[in-house]
Amino acid sequence: SQKIEQNSEALNIQEGKTATLTCNYTNYSPAYLQWYRQDPGRGPVFLLLIRENEKEKRKERLKVTFDTTLKQSLFHITASQPADSATYLCALMDSSYKLIFGSGTRLLVRP
Amino acid sequence: DTGVSQDPRHKITKRGQNVTFRCDPISEHNRLYWYRQTLGQGPEFLTYFQNEAQLEKSRLLSDRFSAERPKGSFSTLEIQRTEQGDSAMYLCASSLDGEETQYFGPGTRLLVL
């Protein structure tokens, strides 16, 4: 069955360092992959979308890579700040435009 | 702010009671989605509408759940005879037809005692 895996353990890093989060998927060939941010008690907020023919996408301090051979996406936050602390969700869209989410990775940035 | 809104934000109910949640999407969006999220998990798809037509329902949506979008604008999600296992965050999202990005509301947190 289709599966999306994100590291369930929280990632704890020092302010100023680069955070790298991983999303792996199986039994799926997505045309694109999305990353969302979710703060406690709030709905997910869209961050970035990367298409299968794009190797890398950047937005300010965020960078996403997409390797369709490895079936993996990496999400990087450079020069991390305590305000970046949140849960980051990886999502694929199926043919009916519904999103299939991973379980998310919690990021904690220490000042 | 013309984002997606949901009401109520929190609901506490006793097992066996019925509850209804409302979602108001972004005004020009014709697609509306309902998701459910439990602690430590990502959102799981429940159902979606294109305009007023309900096009897909997840197997998660038992016969106690019903959703409507009568005029293609706001939507309601009703849970009848609530069970403790229904406790979760219920999220609504909307998008334009064919657009990949979905815009989420703040969610309704349901606690069934």
Side-chain angles (χ1 to χ4, degrees):
Chain A
S1 63
Q2 298 166 346
K3 201 171 180 182
I4 302 171
E5 291 184 337
Q6 295 185 254
N7 192 341
S8 58
E9 290 185 17
L11 180 61
N12 197 326
I13 64 169
Q14 184 73 42
E15 181 177 9
K17 300 293 186 183
T18 296
T20 299
L21 286 66
T22 304
C23 174
N24 295 295
Y25 58 93
T26 56
N27 298 328
Y28 210 31
S29 297
Y32 42 82
L33 183 147
Q34 304 183 42
W35 285 87
Y36 286 76
R37 169 183 172 143
Q38 187 172 27
D39 291 287
R42 296 183 174 269
V45 174
F46 171 76
L47 295 175
L48 279 170
L49 178 152
I50 186 165
R51 301 183 188 279
E52 61 179 339
N53 61 349
E54 297 174 316
K55 295 297 183 186
E56 180 181 299
K57 197 128 182 213
R58 293 175 184 262
K59 179 182 174 183
E60 298 174 350
R61 294 183 296 109
L62 309 181
K63 184 179 85 170
V64 173
T65 64
F66 192 16
D67 189 326
T68 55
T69 302
L70 291 179
K71 294 186 180 293
Q72 182 180 79
S73 175
L74 298 178
F75 177 81
H76 306 272
I77 304 176
T78 58
S80 60
Q81 304 167 1
D84 295 327
S85 298
T87 295
Y88 291 86
L89 297 160
C90 160
L92 303 176
M93 184 171 278
D94 76 358
S95 56
S96 62
Y97 292 96
K98 66 178 183 281
L99 290 171
I100 302 170
F101 284 91
S103 57
T105 298
R106 188 171 165 214
L107 172 66
L108 300 171
V109 182
R110 301 189 310 275
Chain B
D1 188 346
T2 57
V4 178
S5 61
Q6 293 186 245
D7 185 70
R9 293 292 311 279
H10 304 274
K11 179 71 177 179
I12 300 175
T13 191
K14 292 182 179 178
R15 190 175 53 186
Q17 299 294 305
N18 298 344
V19 294
T20 300
F21 309 142
R22 176 179 170 126
C23 170
D24 286 89
I26 294 172
S27 59
E28 65 269 24
H29 285 183
N30 54 349
R31 284 183 175 248
L32 186 148
Y33 301 80
W34 285 98
Y35 294 84
R36 181 170 69 186
Q37 186 175 26
T38 53
L39 200 61
Q41 300 299 314
E44 293 178 292
F45 169 78
L46 292 178
T47 188
Y48 92 94
F49 294 83
Q50 181 162 334
N51 300 310
E52 65 275 10
Q54 188 173 18
L55 295 186
E56 188 171 342
K57 293 194 289 186
S58 163
R59 288 173 294 175
L60 293 175
L61 216 63
S62 75
D63 56 6
R64 296 184 297 105
F65 288 70
S66 62
E68 293 182 343
R69 193 182 184 197
K71 297 182 181 178
S73 56
F74 73 92
S75 175
T76 58
L77 177 68
E78 181 183 16
I79 309 174
Q80 296 183 326
R81 305 181 302 282
T82 52
E83 301 173 356
Q84 288 182 324
D86 297 330
S87 296
M89 172 81 91
Y90 290 84
L91 292 162
C92 174
S94 70
S95 72
L96 285 168
D97 193 18
E99 187 178 85
E100 303 99 348
T101 301
Q102 294 183 14
Y103 298 85
F104 283 80
T108 295
R109 183 169 294 283
L110 172 67
L111 178 60
V112 182
L113 301 176

